[in-house]
Amino acid sequence: MGISRGQRAPHLAAAAGDAGVIWAGLFALGIGFGVLTTGYGFAWWVAPVLSAALFAGSVEFILVGMLAAGAPIGAIVLTTFLVNSRHLFYGLTFPLHRVTGRLGKAYSVFALCDEAYALTTAKDPAALSSRRILWTQAGLHASWALGALAGGLVGSTLLAGLEGMDFVLTALFTVLTVDAVRESRDWTTLGLAIGTAVAAQAFVPGSMLLAAMGAFTAALVVRHRLARRRAKGEPGLGEPDAVGRAAVEPSPEALEAAHRA
Amino acid sequence: MPDPGYLLTALAAAVAITVGLRALPFLMVGFLRDSAFLADLGRWMPLGAVAILAASCVFAIDLGGHGRGIPEIAGLAATVGAHLWRRNAVVSIAAGTGVCLVLANAVPLP
C-alpha cells in the first residue's frame, strides 16, 4: 500500500504543478456556469450533471440557453457538432499511446477538452506517464463539475441577482483567440474568421454562429485549393506553402516510433 | 424548467456528438494523416473557431440595455490588457470578469 501511494503521488503532484492553475480557473468558470444555469431557471443540479456528463465548457454555455428556450433536439445536435468539430483535429496529435489500459484510453478520449489537449501536447510525449495525463484530465473534469455544483448551489440563493457573470465566456474566448494569434501569427485566418462573423451577424443574426462557422469552413476550402493550385502551378520554385509544410512535418507514427526507440 | 425527458434526450445527443467527435480521429488516424486538406483545416480551424466564438459574444453585448454595454466593453479591455501584460489566462479571465461584474452590479450606470 505504501508502494502504491508512493507511485501515485508523484504523478498527481506533476499534474497539479502544470495544470493546477488551470484547474482553479476551470473551477471559477464552473461557478460562472452554475450561476448562469440557475439564472435561466434550472435547478441547482442541472449544471453539475451537464458538466460531468458532457465536459465541453464552451458548448455547455451555449446549450444551456438553448435548453432554457426549449430548442429542438436537431438544433442542439447541429450546434454541438459545429462548436465541437474542432475536437476532430485534437486526436491526430494527442499522445494517446502514452495512456495505458483500455479504460484509461477511453477516459482520456472522453475527457479530451481544449485545456487537456493544450496542456498535454505542450509536453514531450516521452516525458509523460499514463497517470500524469489521466490526473491532468481528471483534475480538469472534477474542477469544472465541482465548480458547476458550487455555482448551482450558491448561485441559486446568494447570487441570483448578479448581472454579467456570463462575461466569463467572452473573456475565455478572447483569451484563447489572443493566445492562438500570438502562437501562429496567422492574420489571414483571423481576418477570415472575423470577416465571416461580421457578415453572418449582418445577414443572419438569428443563427450567427452556425452561418459564420459554415462560411469560414467554406473559405478555408477555397484557401486550401488556391494554395494547392499555386503549389502545382509553380513547381520547383521552392516557396514552401501550407501544403508543402504539412508534408514535411513528421507523422505521428514516426514521432511515436522515435519516442519508443 | 423544461421537463426532464427533454433535458435527458438533449444531453444524451450532445454527449454522443461530443464523444464521437473526440474519438473519430483516433479511429481514422492513418486515413486522416495523409489528407493535405485536413492538415490545413487542423491548423486554421482552432484559431478561427475561437475567434468566431469571441465575436459572437461581442455581438451579443446589449448596448441599449442596463449599463449600455459599458461593463462588458470595459471587461473586454481589461481582459485583453491583462492578457497582453501577464500572459496568464486565469488572471486575464478573472480580471476582465471582475471589472464587468463590479461595473454591472456595484456602479450606477445609465
Side-chain angles (χ1 to χ4, degrees), chain A residues 4-134:
Chain A
S4 88
R5 186 180 299 165
Q7 281 174 340
R8 198 186 307 134
H11 302 287
L12 174 56
D18 279 339
V21 69
I22 310 294
W23 293 351
L26 274 201
F27 184 81
L29 286 173
I31 292 177
F33 179 66
V35 171
L36 180 72
T37 304
T38 51
Y40 274 117
F42 288 106
W44 62 271
W45 50 266
V46 170
V49 166
L50 273 178
S51 298
L54 191 52
F55 190 34
S58 49
V59 84
E60 287 176 39
F61 274 103
I62 298 163
L63 286 190
V64 73
M66 296 180 73
L67 291 172
I73 300 295
I76 284 164
V77 164
L78 193 60
T79 302
T80 307
F81 179 81
L82 285 174
V83 174
N84 280 347
S85 63
R86 67 187 187 281
H87 290 119
L88 278 172
F89 308 103
Y90 293 168
L92 298 176
T93 45
F94 186 81
L96 192 65
H97 60 277
R98 302 295 304 171
V99 179
T100 54
R102 211 172 255 200
L103 261 179
K105 282 185 195 290
Y107 178 74
S108 195
V109 171
F110 163 79
L112 185 46
C113 63
D114 303 283
E115 295 81 2
Y117 176 80
L119 287 164
T120 308
T121 53
K123 298 276 169 195
D124 177 4
L128 288 170
S129 68
S130 177
R131 284 190 170 181
R132 181 163 170 182
I133 294 173
L134 290 172

Side-chain angles (χ1 to χ4, degrees), chain B residues 60 109-110:
Chain B
L109 291 168

Side-chain angles (χ1 to χ4, degrees), chain A residues 171-215:
Chain A
L172 173 67
F173 292 135
T174 302
V175 161
L176 288 175
T177 303
V178 171
D179 278 342
V181 171
R182 196 154 52 195
E183 172 76 17
S184 66
R185 299 274 150 197
D186 187 353
W187 300 102
T188 307
T189 300
L190 182 67
L192 285 174
I194 301 296
T196 50
V198 169
Q201 177 68 15
F203 295 114
V204 267
S207 41
M208 174 268 167
L209 215 45
L210 308 192
M213 294 270 186

